Amino acid sequence: MAPGTAPDHDLIIVGAGLTGLSLACWLKELSQAHGQRMPNVRLLEPRTTYTNDRTWCFWDRMDHPFRELITHRWRHWQVSSGQQRAIQSSDLTPYALLPADRLYRHALACIDACQELTLEQGARVSSVEEEGSGARVITDAGQLRARAVVDTRMPASLPGSSVNGFWQVFTGLEIECRHHGYDTTTARLMDFQACPSHPCFVYLLPLDEHHLMVEWTAFRTERDNRDTRSQLEQWLDRAGINDYRVLRSESSLLPMIPMRRERGTGRVIRAGVGAGWMRAATGYHFASCQRGTRHLAEQILAANQRGQWHLRPPTLRARWLEWMDRVFLRALRRHPDRAPEWFLALFAGTTAAQMSRFMNDEPGPGDALAIAGALPPAPFLRAALS
Ligand SMILES: Cc1cc2nc3c(=O)[nH]c(=O)nc-3n(C[C@H](O)[C@H](O)[C@H](O)COP(=O)(O)OP(=O)(O)OC[C@H]3O[C@@H](n4cnc5c(N)ncnc54)[C@H](O)[C@@H]3O)c2cc1C
């Protein structure tokens, strides 16, 4: 802040999506649990209403403020290609689904019940600037000052996938049908389909005997999601599911692209998918988001206690794991046709516990060895050395 200028807030959170709302809920939960004073926090969000725009899936193996909101858990998960399949099972760490509307409702109620948290909807931020010992946030309605800012917007430009990585593009439908016939205890994570130029698969979650969440997903080098809906509808037809009602749809293009994480200035730090928090090799973000926002909330409460604001980006995962992911993506870019073989080998050659730790960003060295041992060495050695 410029000398003599009082901040409007201790902290401003730019964007109240998964990361912004998780941070707000962690702040409230941890301040209550440890008897720490809550900072004065304002969240700025352009959306004026929240809709059920996505579902979050992850392996249910950690505590977070939204765990009670999980609606579905599958104790088996499988990867398949044609007649081949690899199945893993665990009662301890099932695959879980949390619908966005439940999370949004819970987080908005949490903010409403806490006088130190304010959510301003309909507020679009155009820029965030460091200023003296704080930061200035410019919105379309004016400017605000804070001791620190956490910015969860996507950056204006993302690194291209021209060299490394993919765009994960998908369209999903939640459908109701008379009887789909899929086993409701098994989540089908990847059922590989014949696509000539890139890996593509069907992701299918039987919600109950009459409801399915089903997605057509492709790993593409171009940012192009044009035909995934028609591909999905054709697949449903081929699978004999043609008498159904669409209850909800979701689609996206997610960057499976390794991003350099900025250190930030201590006063302004970036968070969320736009800051490279999503796991590039998997497209999963929920678990690392909970770990990252918890770590940030701990720092913010300590900064507020001390009156010294200097925030550091959280450590989300080990550096060697990020290196493994880069090698994996590089190898997959060179051999997209081998995706079914490699994913089947991964799930067949590891245990459910190893895989759930690996997918939720918390593998130990033994898990990494099991993962590496499950894959054919030559293409990965070449990718590692290139
Ligand atoms: C359909 C879909 C399904 C997904 N499924 C999964 C899944 O199953 N598992 C998983 O781990 N991940 C999943 N993801 C990936 C990831 O978890 C989500 O994208 C998640 O919402 C990202 O969190 P975020 O906070 O980074 O971004 P967002 O949740 O998008 O939040 C960013 C916020 O910033 C706001 N904003 C944008 N511009 C401005 C501005 N100028 N000023 C102020 N605010 C602004 C936005 O309105 C938004 O609310 C999915 C993503 C999508 C889109």
Side-chain angles (χ1 to χ4, degrees):
M1 245 109 31
T5 318
D8 301 293
H9 303 283
D10 293 317
L11 178 76
I12 289 178
I13 303 175
V14 179
L18 178 64
T19 309
L21 294 173
S22 299
L23 179 56
C25 292
W26 273 118
L27 279 168
K28 186 174 170 207
E29 188 167 312
L30 294 175
S31 75
Q32 283 174 350
H34 303 138
Q36 283 170 297
R37 193 163 49 87
M38 264 296 280
N40 174 282
V41 182
R42 191 174 199 87
L43 294 101
L44 301 173
E45 167 61 41
R47 271 185 269 192
T48 49
T49 49
Y50 283 86
T51 57
N52 196 13
D53 59 356
R54 61 200 68 184
T55 46
W56 284 292
C57 289
F58 46 89
W59 277 264
D60 178 26
R61 42 175 303 121
M62 65 190 282
D63 264 333
H64 53 79
F66 313 113
R67 201 170 186 184
E68 300 280 296
L69 309 176
I70 291 172
T71 52
H72 294 82
R73 289 180 172 83
W74 293 269
R75 48 194 291 267
H76 311 292
W77 53 88
Q78 79 167 43
V79 170
S80 55
S81 174
Q83 295 306 309
Q84 290 178 288
R85 64 201 58 229
I87 303 186
Q88 297 187 332
S89 306
S90 171
D91 287 325
L92 289 177
T93 59
Y95 191 66
L97 180 149
L98 200 167
D101 61 342
R102 287 176 70 103
L103 185 144
Y104 295 146
R105 227 177 299 127
H106 178 89
L108 297 193
C110 156
I111 291 169
D112 230 25
C114 178
Q115 59 178 13
E116 290 88 358
L117 294 171
T118 325
L119 168 62
E120 184 178 338
Q121 292 183 245
R124 184 170 297 278
V125 170
S126 56
S127 69
V128 178
E129 296 158 11
E130 197 169 342
E131 186 189 63
S133 60
R136 195 156 62 110
V137 176
I138 317 288
T139 74
D140 34 16
Q143 55 179 343
L144 291 165
R145 290 186 164 82
R147 297 185 203 283
V149 173
V150 175
D151 188 352
T152 75
R153 290 172 302 164
M154 283 299 261
S157 68
L158 283 170
S161 66
S162 56
V163 186
N164 211 351
F166 295 91
W167 287 97
Q168 183 181 128
V169 303
F170 60 90
T171 292
L173 298 178
E174 187 178 327
I175 61 173
E176 184 178 55
C177 51
R178 206 169 304 147
H179 184 68
H180 53 66
Y182 288 97
D183 167 18
T184 54
T185 64
T186 303
R188 293 165 180 252
L189 304 183
M190 295 172 129
D191 180 15
F192 281 97
Q193 306 295 309
C195 297
S197 55
H198 51 257
C200 66
F201 55 88
V202 168
Y203 171 78
L204 188 145
L205 304 176
L207 303 174
D208 61 32
E209 282 173 8
H210 306 290
H211 295 87
L212 284 178
M213 177 75 207
V214 56
E215 287 182 3
W216 182 276
T217 304
F219 294 169
R220 289 195 175 142
T221 51
E222 329 82 58
R223 195 175 181 174
D224 173 8
N225 194 9
R226 258 175 309 171
D227 59 350
T228 48
R229 170 103 188 208
S230 60
Q231 296 275 20
L232 176 58
E233 285 167 349
Q234 286 166 30
W235 181 85
L236 283 165
D237 202 39
R238 287 198 299 278
I241 306 172
N242 20 45
D243 186 13
Y244 59 85
R245 193 160 71 92
V246 175
L247 304 179
R248 206 176 59 77
S249 70
E250 61 180 51
S251 71
S252 192
L253 303 107
L254 298 173
M256 292 174 70
I257 303 169
M259 287 192 217
R260 191 180 292 279
R261 279 208 293 280
E262 294 169 25
R263 285 212 57 72
T265 58
R267 298 287 175 176
V268 178
I269 70 163
R270 301 196 77 101
V273 169
W277 283 22
M278 195 175 82
R279 181 92 174 272
T282 65
Y284 283 96
H285 169 63
F286 190 89
S288 56
C289 180
Q290 295 314 314
R291 209 170 302 117
T293 48
R294 181 189 176 129
H295 186 253
L296 267 184
E298 285 165 352
Q299 282 192 61
I300 290 163
L301 292 171
N304 190 42
Q305 203 94 336
R306 286 197 310 267
Q308 282 172 9
W309 288 78
H310 186 93
L311 306 180
R312 288 182 323 282
T315 305
L316 298 169
R317 52 189 81 95
R319 277 184 188 278
W320 56 260
L321 182 56
E322 300 207 327
W323 176 81
M324 277 180 81
D325 285 358
R326 281 198 299 276
V327 171
F328 185 75
L329 285 168
R330 216 177 291 149
L332 204 54
R333 272 293 292 254
R334 291 176 180 185
H335 306 280
D337 54 313
R338 297 187 71 178
E341 175 202 334
W342 290 351
F343 279 99
L344 271 164
L346 262 182
F347 281 80
T350 54
T351 64
Q354 285 168 333
M355 205 39 142
S356 65
R357 284 194 292 266
F358 185 73
M359 296 301 277
N360 270 25
D361 292 4
E362 42 198 358
D367 301 330
L369 283 176
I371 300 277
L375 292 166
F380 290 93
L381 276 174
R382 277 197 297 274
L385 294 172
S386 68

